[in-house]
């Protein structure tokens, strides 16, 4: 700051409400995406309960149990809204990214010098956020364009025969780290759960952040392994959809 | 048996054309209760008469002796060498204009911030200097005093990634000042007025919540909660709810 005076807000100027709006939109979109990713992991991990359980979850989102037949377009619609939310979050979060070489160098030196947990975590959040621009987009486009390809065999074939497992492995770590750190930071930024003893709250939030990251990464690894195992077994018949034992319907 | 301490100290005088940025090594025997302030004085007295560093109060009140101690901002007078390893690296606080060696011009930065954020009580009318001041509830006075304990040492700015990347950022010291005047019933300004000062990315919305400021504030100011409170207040202003 020093001797440099800000020019935008002189004594008679009216400050724009947009910085406030954008901060709110960044936080709200991050909150929605973070909570959605936890739900998403629970839905996807239904495969651990068996193929029928996953088949049921997949059909549920296609409206099968409401309309009597599946409408994959409903999934596309939902995926499109998630993609839009991701784009809004990315656009608003980009405001916080370093924007030039000097800023990147300053951030890197600062983080190394300071050895401060929350500062280092932010650097990790920037890195994982950057990776998610690309990795999440690939997955979302696949779901958007092929919503009917979600099921015990279809998903497993995509993971194994479609060679998506390396992407999903990286995506899992990036999402679960980025999401948990982001939600933790949201709580601190807005003073949620601060209570009479904010220091204790922060310690608990930090512990909750690590526990949720570890829990969802382990759940995700187990889920990915399950899809890979099914994908390997089903590889000779890749493309065939799963038919539940109790249903005459096909996937 | 006392330790032999090694100090790696940044040396550079921008006003001397012959000076080049470098690190110089000094050693001395640690004594009981030695602070960095004592060690630096001993080095200057016995080994490096030209070594520049700032201090006034020696008691963590003036905020002059802030520096990077093994990479982390802190006050030299409040840091015991016993709490540090055998080798101690001392650098000037980043984000401030360097005067020489470990001495930086925090005063210039703080003055710029104070003028920009108008960190003084804006009274409703000119004070009557002969009249008694209006009484204030003790709890309210204490709440204001709690935030007024800031000594403007600059540690929060040097501990802040946003301030390091964006020199225009008001930092925790500036946002804490606004929180202090917001709490003061004598100040006629309301949140829409404060929004004009800190309602942007150079103000409270630039804060990313990394809390280096909170964790490294030598005065242990409640910066985490104050900044969160201010952020909520400024958002309400942006939404036209205050």
């Amino acid at each position: 700051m020093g001797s440099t005076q800000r020019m935008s807000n002189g004594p008679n100027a009216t400050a724009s409400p947009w910085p406030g709006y954008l901060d709110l939109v960044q936080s709200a979109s991050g909150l929605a995406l973070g909570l959605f990713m936890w739900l998403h992991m629970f839905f996807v991990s239904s495969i651990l309960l068996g193929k029928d359980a996953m088949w049921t979850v997949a059909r549920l989102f296609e409206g099968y149990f409401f309309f009597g037949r599946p409408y994959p377009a409903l999934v596309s619609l939902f995926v499109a809204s998630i993609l839009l939310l991701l784009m809004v979050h990315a656009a608003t979060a980009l405001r916080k990214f370093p924007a030039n070489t000097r800023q990147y160098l300053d951030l890197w030196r600062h983080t190394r010098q300071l050895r401060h947990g929350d500062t280092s975590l932010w650097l990790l959040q920037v890195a994982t956020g950057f990776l998610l621009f690309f990795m999440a987009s690939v997955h979302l486009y696949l779901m958007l364009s092929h919503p009917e390809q979600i099921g015990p065999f279809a998903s497993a074939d995509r993971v194994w025969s479609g060679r998506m497992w390396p992407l999903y492995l990286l995506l899992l770590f990036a999402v679960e780290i980025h999401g948990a750190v982001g939600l933790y930071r949201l709580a601190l930024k807005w003073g949620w759960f601060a209570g009479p003893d904010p220091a204790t709250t922060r310690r608990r939030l930090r512990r909750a952040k690590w526990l949720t990251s570890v829990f969802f990464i382990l759940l995700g690894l187990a889920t990915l392994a399950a899809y890979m195992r099914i994908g390997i077994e089903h590889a000779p018949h890749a493309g065939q959809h799963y038919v539940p034992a109790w249903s005459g319907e096909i996937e | 048996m006392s330790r032999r301490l090694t100090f790696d100290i940044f040396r550079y005088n921008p006003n001397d054309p012959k000076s080049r940025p470098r690190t110089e090594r000094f050693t001395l025997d640690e004594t009981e209760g030695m602070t960095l302030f004592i060690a630096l004085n001993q080095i200057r007295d016995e080994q490096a008469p030209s070594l520049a560093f700032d201090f006034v109060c020696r008691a963590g009140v003036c905020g002059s002796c802030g520096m990077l101690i093994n990479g982390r901002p802190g006050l030299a007078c409040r840091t015991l060498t016993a709490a540090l390893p055998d080798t101690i690296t001392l650098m000037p606080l980043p984000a401030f204009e360097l005067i020489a060696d470990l001495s930086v011009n925090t005063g210039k930065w703080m003055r710029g911030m104070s003028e920009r954020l108008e960190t003084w009580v804006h009274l409703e009318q000119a004070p009557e200097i002969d009249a008694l001041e209006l009484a204030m509830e003790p709890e309210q006075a204490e709440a204001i005093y709690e935030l007024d304990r800031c000594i403007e040492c600059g540690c929060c700015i040097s501990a802040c990634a946003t301030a390091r990347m964006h020199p225009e950022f008001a930092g925790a010291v500036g946002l804490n000042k606004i929180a202090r005047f917001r709490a003061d019933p004598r100040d006629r300004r309301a949140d829409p007025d404060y929004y004009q000062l800190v309602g942007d990315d150079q103000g409270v919305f630039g804060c990313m919540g990394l809390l280096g400021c909170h964790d490294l504030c030598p005065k242990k100011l409640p910066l985490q909660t104050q900044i969160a409170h201010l952020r909520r207040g400024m958002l309400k202003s942006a939404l036209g709810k205050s």
Side-chain angles (χ1 to χ4, degrees):
Chain A
M1 186 178 293
S3 59
T4 314
Q5 295 299 307
R6 182 174 52 177
M7 302 305 289
S8 58
N9 294 354
N12 300 314
T14 302
S16 164
W18 275 99
Y21 297 161
L22 292 176
D23 204 47
L24 176 65
V25 169
Q26 185 192 349
S27 292
S29 56
L31 176 67
L33 285 168
L35 296 178
F36 167 71
M37 286 322 300
W38 286 351
L39 286 176
H40 175 275
M41 183 51 80
F42 283 124
F43 296 140
V44 172
S45 63
S46 57
I47 195 71
L48 297 173
L49 300 176
K51 296 188 185 78
D52 285 353
M54 197 274 171
W55 183 91
T56 306
V57 170
R59 297 294 80 76
L60 179 73
F61 284 97
E62 290 175 347
Y64 177 81
F65 300 108
F66 304 104
F67 308 115
R69 54 164 296 207
Y71 289 96
L74 290 175
V75 175
S76 288
L77 207 62
F78 186 73
V79 173
S81 63
I82 294 293
L83 185 59
L84 187 69
L85 200 58
L86 180 71
M87 289 165 80
V88 167
H89 184 65
T92 47
L94 264 178
R95 298 173 306 134
K96 307 293 182 190
F97 272 52
N100 54 44
T101 311
R102 183 191 63 75
Q103 289 177 357
Y104 271 101
L105 288 175
D106 281 347
L107 177 64
W108 180 246
R109 286 189 195 118
H110 174 71
T111 309
R112 285 191 59 184
Q113 264 177 351
L114 203 63
R115 304 179 318 281
H116 175 251
D118 282 7
T119 302
S120 304
L121 277 179
W122 187 73
L123 199 62
L124 193 62
Q125 219 182 353
V126 170
T128 49
F130 184 78
L131 290 174
L132 285 171
F133 287 158
F134 311 100
M135 298 197 298
S137 302
V138 172
H139 172 64
L140 283 168
Y141 183 73
L142 274 179
M143 297 299 97
L144 186 73
S145 56
H146 295 287
E148 73 287 353
Q149 298 289 341
I150 301 173
F153 284 160
S155 296
D157 289 341
R158 184 172 63 252
V159 166
W160 183 253
S161 300
R163 294 177 189 165
M164 287 292 282
W165 66 267
L167 180 94
Y168 286 152
L169 187 63
L170 293 173
L171 196 58
L172 171 68
F173 281 90
V175 165
E176 297 309 340
I177 291 170
H178 189 89
V181 176
L183 291 172
Y184 161 75
R185 204 177 305 289
L186 267 185
L188 295 181
K189 267 167 79 170
W190 293 99
W192 298 340
F193 324 113
D197 184 4
T200 304
T201 304
R202 187 173 168 205
R203 268 198 304 278
R204 286 181 183 154
L205 285 171
R206 196 179 293 150
R207 201 177 311 134
K209 166 177 65 68
W210 285 114
L211 286 175
T212 49
S213 278
V214 169
F215 171 74
F216 282 106
I217 285 172
L218 290 177
L219 184 64
L221 287 174
T223 302
L224 187 59
Y227 282 114
M228 287 172 75
R229 187 181 53 78
I230 296 169
I232 291 168
E233 288 168 4
H234 195 249
H237 312 289
Q240 277 182 8
H241 285 191
Y242 179 74
V243 181
W246 43 268
S247 167
E249 299 287 333
I250 59 163
E251 188 182 355
Chain B
M1 188 179 150
S2 73
R3 289 191 299 169
R4 185 85 180 151
L5 298 176
T6 301
F7 288 85
D8 288 327
I9 301 178
F10 177 83
R11 303 294 310 271
Y12 177 52
N13 183 354
N15 295 314
D16 177 2
K18 286 187 227 153
S19 177
R20 292 285 173 269
R22 64 199 184 280
T23 300
E24 284 185 6
R25 176 162 283 196
F26 305 95
T27 55
L28 55 76
D29 290 325
E30 186 177 36
T31 53
E32 198 179 338
M34 179 180 256
T35 63
L36 284 179
F37 160 75
I38 293 169
L40 282 169
N41 270 293
Q42 198 173 319
I43 290 169
R44 182 160 64 183
D45 289 347
E46 297 170 1
Q47 303 180 51
S50 64
L51 180 64
F53 59 93
D54 296 320
F55 68 92
V56 179
C57 74
R58 298 169 292 170
V61 177
C62 73
S64 301
C65 63
M67 58 186 67
L68 284 191
I69 303 158
N70 285 343
R72 308 189 104 195
L75 297 181
C77 70
R78 293 282 296 272
T79 306
L80 291 165
T81 55
L84 298 169
D86 294 350
T87 300
I88 300 163
T89 304
L90 300 177
M91 308 281 278
L93 284 184
F96 298 101
E97 182 184 306
L98 181 71
I99 295 172
D101 301 337
L102 301 174
S103 172
V104 291
N105 197 344
T106 50
K108 183 177 173 183
W109 194 99
M110 295 297 166
R111 185 184 175 113
M113 177 273 293
S114 291
E115 288 174 353
R116 190 181 105 187
L117 301 186
E118 303 179 16
T119 58
W120 55 88
V121 174
H122 289 48
L123 295 170
E124 200 68 61
Q125 54 201 23
E128 288 182 39
I129 54 172
D130 296 326
L132 274 178
E133 267 192 287
L134 285 175
M136 190 185 285
E137 289 299 323
E139 296 79 22
Q140 198 157 37
E142 275 170 26
I144 296 168
Y145 178 70
E146 170 71 358
L147 305 183
D148 237 354
R149 292 190 299 112
C150 174
I151 54 173
E152 300 186 2
C153 60
C155 287
C156 61
I157 299 301
S158 294
C160 173
T162 309
R164 294 288 298 272
M165 288 191 291
H166 305 286
E168 291 291 294
F169 182 51
V173 57
L175 299 175
N176 179 66
K177 296 269 177 206
I178 294 294
R180 177 249 176 273
F181 291 104
R182 253 179 116 219
D184 195 325
R186 294 166 299 179
D187 200 309
R188 64 177 151 76
R189 291 177 292 181
D191 274 357
D193 301 308
Y194 293 118
Y195 189 88
Q196 301 295 317
L197 301 168
V198 292
D200 58 15
D201 289 346
Q202 285 80 49
V204 73
F205 298 123
C207 169
M208 301 188 293
L210 312 190
L211 298 183
C213 58
H214 180 95
D215 295 338
L216 292 160
C217 173
K219 303 303 284 187
K220 304 286 175 213
L221 290 171
L223 300 170
Q224 175 190 339
T225 44
Q226 288 306 317
I227 295 173
H229 192 229
L230 186 62
R231 185 188 289 272
R232 293 202 301 267
M234 293 304 99
L235 178 64
K236 280 183 190 164
S237 273
L239 298 173
K241 289 184 179 171
S242 66

